[in-house]
């Protein structure tokens, strides 16, 4: 029996590990007995759209219908376990944990289908005549609620940069404070309400079932081909596509303090204006314009300047990303020179990490004093400004050279070991034996000094 349970547990874990189209969802309410956790939770089960709608029905039957929806950009159940501990003075999920424990009723769904969460707001609006209110961080303290009619408050929490564990923990802690502050305001006003905390998409790395039993090298090669659900920025010249741009993470940091994540705005919600982009036979400029980002940055413009030129040495035409420019709120333009971003004109360019850090595969080098105030981070960066066919990227020229550091380490180590082996064999071959030996029964061997 124990062996059967072990295999069942392994199967459950494998199912959750291989499926990444799900996100966790936390629900709690000041109303009592809304959910029966034992009847609704099944280990390893992914909640479908229909099942989620059934679970939300008790929220619509209460006398006081006030619903708060906290939306994160990306989230997974691993985030709660990985960032459950304190990072210095930051406690990422302190308020969230206390609210779940102190609420009259709560429900934790570890895996909800992303198709259900992506259309959650539409479903809620269709299910009842709600008064919809969008709230940001600066409007929380000014919240006024009309309890005479159903209300739904939508709070889009700040995106997570995920540059490292510390920055991610700080972002989670900041969002946790917003959740705690808003629920405290509602409680102080004596309002009965329910809360939903979830995300639009999963933050886990997608894996296909057919690569689980492959070798490590094969697994890495296969996972690199799996991409996110959103599509690249597509710029047309009126008749055909002339610029393609993609990144799985596109983030900026100003003065080491103000962080701006442009990933969702650029590739998911498409709240970016690229109408100022320019395409020609020899030059291409991708211009991305954003408005109303964060406090202190109302208007932001980012420009990628590319050129195409024939080089006699290689006897072919190459395109190069020459510079990147950032301007905001009529401030001086921050200009970056670009290192190692070029490819044959008929190819696209791809690099796993691009930014201002020296550790990245392709670096953006500040060209003026204003640029030193900015930190840029792009992961899985890919761009093409010329010779685009079928509205998709051509074969990618990668920034990683053929001889990676690992290959060089292996070659050097092999060369040293080969030299040691050769030297040892040579020394063995030089060994010789004596030409004459002493006979114990005969006269002692005498070797003249002159011999």
């Amino acid at each position: 029996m124990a062996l059967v349970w072990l295999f069942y547990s392994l199967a459950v874990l494998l199912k959750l590990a291989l499926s990444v189209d799900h996100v966790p969802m936390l629900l709690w309410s000041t109303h009592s007995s809304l959910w029966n956790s034992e009847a609704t939770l099944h280990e390893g089960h992914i909640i479908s759209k229909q099942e989620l709608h059934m679970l939300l029905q008790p929220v619509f039957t209460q006398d006081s219908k006030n619903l708060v929806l906290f939306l994160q950009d990306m989230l997974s159940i691993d985030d709660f376990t990985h960032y459950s501990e304190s990072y210095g003075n930051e406690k990422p999920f302190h308020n969230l944990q206390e609210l779940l424990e102190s609420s009259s009723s709560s429900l934790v769904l570890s895996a909800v289908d992303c198709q259900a969460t992506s259309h959650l707001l539409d479903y809620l609006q269709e299910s009842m005549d709600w008064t919809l209110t969008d709230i940001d961080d600066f409007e929380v303290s000014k919240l006024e609620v009309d309890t005479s009619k159903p209300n739904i408050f939508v709070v889009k929490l700040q995106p997570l940069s995920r540059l490292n564990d510390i920055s991610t923990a700080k972002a989670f802690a900041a969002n946790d404070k917003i959740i705690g502050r808003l629920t405290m305001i509602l409680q102080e006003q004596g309002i009965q309400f329910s809360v939903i905390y979830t995300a639009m998409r999963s933050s886990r790395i997608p894996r296909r079932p057919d690569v689980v039993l492959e070798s490590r090298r094969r697994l890495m090669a296969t996972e690199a081909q799996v991409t996110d659900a959103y599509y690249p920025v597509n710029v047309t010249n009126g008749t055909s596509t002339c610029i393609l741009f993609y990144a799985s993470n596109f983030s900026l940091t100003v003065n080491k303090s103000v962080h701006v994540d442009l990933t969702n705005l650029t590739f998911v919600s498409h709240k970016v204006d690229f109408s100022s982009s320019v395409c020609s036979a020899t030059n291409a400029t991708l211009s991305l314009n954003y408005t109303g980002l964060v406090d202190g940055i109302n208007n932001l413009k980012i420009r990628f300047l590319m050129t195409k030129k024939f080089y006699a040495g290689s006897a072919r035409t190459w395109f190069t990303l020459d510079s990147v420019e950032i301007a905001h709120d009529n401030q001086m333009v921050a200009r970056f020179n670009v290192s190692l971003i070029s490819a044959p004109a008929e190819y696209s360019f791809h690099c796993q990490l691009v930014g201002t850090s020296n550790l990245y595969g392709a670096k953006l080098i500040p060209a003026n004093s204003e640029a030193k105030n900015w930190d840029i981070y792009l992961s899985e960066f890919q761009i093409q400004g010329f010779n685009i066919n079928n509205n998709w990227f051509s074969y990618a020229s990668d920034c990683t050279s053929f001889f990676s550091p690992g290959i060089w380490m292996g070659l050097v180590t092999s060369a040293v070991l080969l030299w040691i082996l050769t030297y040892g064999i040579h020394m063995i071959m030089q060994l010789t034996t004596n030409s004459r030996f002493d006979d114990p029964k005969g006269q002692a061997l005498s070797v003249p000094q002159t011999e």
Side-chain angles (χ1 to χ4, degrees):
M1 186 65 183
L3 185 61
V4 173
W5 177 253
L6 175 62
F7 279 113
Y8 171 74
S9 301
L10 290 175
V12 168
L13 293 174
L14 182 62
K15 178 181 178 182
L16 286 176
L18 297 179
S19 176
V20 296
D21 293 332
H22 63 264
V23 295
M25 179 177 289
L26 309 182
L27 304 96
W28 67 92
S29 177
T30 55
H31 303 283
S32 59
S33 303
L34 284 190
W35 300 287
N36 182 2
S37 301
E38 295 181 358
T40 56
L41 288 180
H42 308 279
E43 186 178 9
H45 179 65
I46 299 178
I47 304 298
S48 65
K49 182 187 295 185
Q50 292 75 18
E51 291 171 328
L52 179 62
H53 294 174
M54 292 294 297
L55 291 173
L56 293 178
Q57 289 303 312
V59 177
F60 307 143
T61 59
Q62 303 302 313
D63 295 333
S64 179
K65 300 180 179 63
N66 298 292
L67 180 62
V68 183
L69 177 60
F70 293 104
L71 284 177
Q72 190 75 57
D73 59 335
M74 295 186 296
L75 191 66
S76 72
I77 197 67
D78 295 336
D79 291 327
F80 294 105
T81 56
H82 185 74
Y83 298 102
S84 59
E85 298 180 357
S86 300
Y87 280 75
N89 297 327
E90 304 294 344
K91 297 181 179 180
F93 299 110
H94 174 71
N95 292 320
L96 198 59
Q97 184 176 0
E98 287 191 349
L99 289 169
L100 286 172
E101 293 175 351
S102 61
S103 60
S104 300
S105 58
S106 63
L107 182 63
V108 177
L109 304 176
S110 59
V112 179
D113 193 341
C114 285
Q115 291 295 327
T117 59
S118 60
H119 299 91
L120 178 59
L121 184 57
D122 295 334
Y123 167 73
L124 293 174
Q125 291 180 282
E126 294 172 357
S127 61
M128 186 174 293
D129 186 19
W130 299 92
T131 299
L132 179 64
T133 305
D134 289 317
I135 303 176
D136 59 28
D137 186 16
F138 306 100
E139 297 175 345
V140 170
S141 59
K142 304 177 182 178
L143 181 64
E144 296 181 358
V145 183
D146 183 4
T147 57
S148 62
K149 49 188 177 181
N151 297 281
I152 181 170
F153 306 99
V154 180
V155 183
K156 293 184 179 179
L157 302 172
Q158 73 172 22
L160 306 175
S161 63
R162 298 189 183 273
L163 298 176
N164 51 58
D165 284 346
I166 296 178
S167 64
T168 305
K170 288 183 177 179
F172 272 126
N175 291 338
D176 183 68
K177 291 177 182 177
I178 296 175
I179 294 174
R181 188 160 68 251
L182 178 57
T183 53
M184 182 64 68
I185 291 174
L186 294 176
Q187 290 174 350
E188 290 176 350
Q189 296 181 11
I191 299 173
Q192 297 288 324
F193 62 92
S194 301
V195 180
I196 300 175
Y197 174 51
T198 187
M200 302 299 292
R201 56 194 177 100
S202 175
S203 61
R204 297 186 63 182
I205 300 174
R207 293 183 179 179
R208 297 201 322 238
D210 57 346
V211 302
V212 173
L213 299 179
E214 297 284 352
S215 65
R216 181 175 182 270
R217 184 177 180 87
R218 175 62 180 168
L219 178 64
M220 293 174 64
T222 307
E223 286 184 0
Q225 299 173 2
V226 183
T227 58
D228 288 335
Y230 49 82
Y231 293 92
V233 171
N234 187 319
V235 179
T236 62
N237 56 7
T239 57
S240 60
T241 301
C242 61
I243 300 176
L244 289 172
F245 167 64
Y246 174 83
S248 62
N249 192 323
F250 185 16
S251 307
L252 306 175
T253 303
V254 191
N255 297 322
K256 307 294 183 181
S257 58
V258 181
H259 179 77
V260 183
D261 192 323
L262 303 175
T263 310
N264 285 340
L265 295 175
T266 307
F267 305 105
V268 180
S269 60
H270 303 290
K271 294 181 180 179
V272 55
D273 178 18
F274 47 82
S275 58
S276 301
S277 301
V278 178
C279 302
S280 67
T282 58
N283 295 277
T285 300
L286 174 61
S287 181
L288 305 175
N289 299 328
Y290 305 87
T291 57
L293 294 176
V294 295
D295 186 29
I297 303 180
N298 294 321
N299 297 291
L300 179 67
K301 177 181 288 187
I302 304 174
R303 288 160 38 101
F304 297 84
L305 288 80
M306 295 171 282
T307 59
K308 185 174 71 171
K309 185 178 179 181
F310 178 79
Y311 290 89
S314 60
R316 69 187 310 173
T317 303
W318 292 67
F319 92 86
T320 305
L321 178 59
D322 298 318
S323 61
V324 176
E325 297 178 351
I326 301 177
H328 75 97
D329 302 323
N330 298 321
Q331 299 292 323
M332 189 174 69
V333 176
R335 184 172 292 103
F336 298 85
N337 295 327
V338 181
S339 172
L340 302 177
I341 296 185
S342 62
E346 62 272 17
Y347 291 176
S348 65
F349 176 84
H350 172 268
C351 194
Q352 185 177 6
L353 293 175
V354 176
T356 51
S357 173
N358 292 324
L359 302 177
Y360 298 160
K363 186 182 178 183
L364 305 180
I365 305 171
N368 58 9
S369 58
E370 183 68 20
K372 296 179 180 179
N373 299 325
W374 293 83
D375 291 323
I376 305 176
Y377 173 79
L378 297 108
S379 63
E380 297 300 336
F381 171 80
Q382 189 166 3
I383 194 169
Q384 185 173 356
F386 306 94
N387 302 326
I388 297 174
N389 297 317
N390 300 322
N391 299 325
W392 198 248
F393 285 112
S394 302
Y395 176 84
S397 174
D398 202 276
C399 63
T400 303
S401 61
F402 179 78
F403 288 98
S404 64
I407 294 177
W408 278 115
M409 290 171 63
L411 290 175
V412 172
T413 303
S414 300
V416 172
L417 293 176
L418 182 61
W419 180 83
I420 295 174
L421 177 63
T422 304
Y423 181 78
I425 294 175
H426 178 73
M427 294 299 293
I428 293 175
M429 293 177 64
Q430 296 299 315
L431 291 177
T432 59
T433 60
N434 295 331
S435 58
R436 288 181 293 179
F437 297 90
D438 192 9
D439 185 2
K441 295 182 179 180
Q443 187 177 1
L445 182 63
S446 178
V447 179
Q449 294 295 327
T450 58
E451 185 175 331

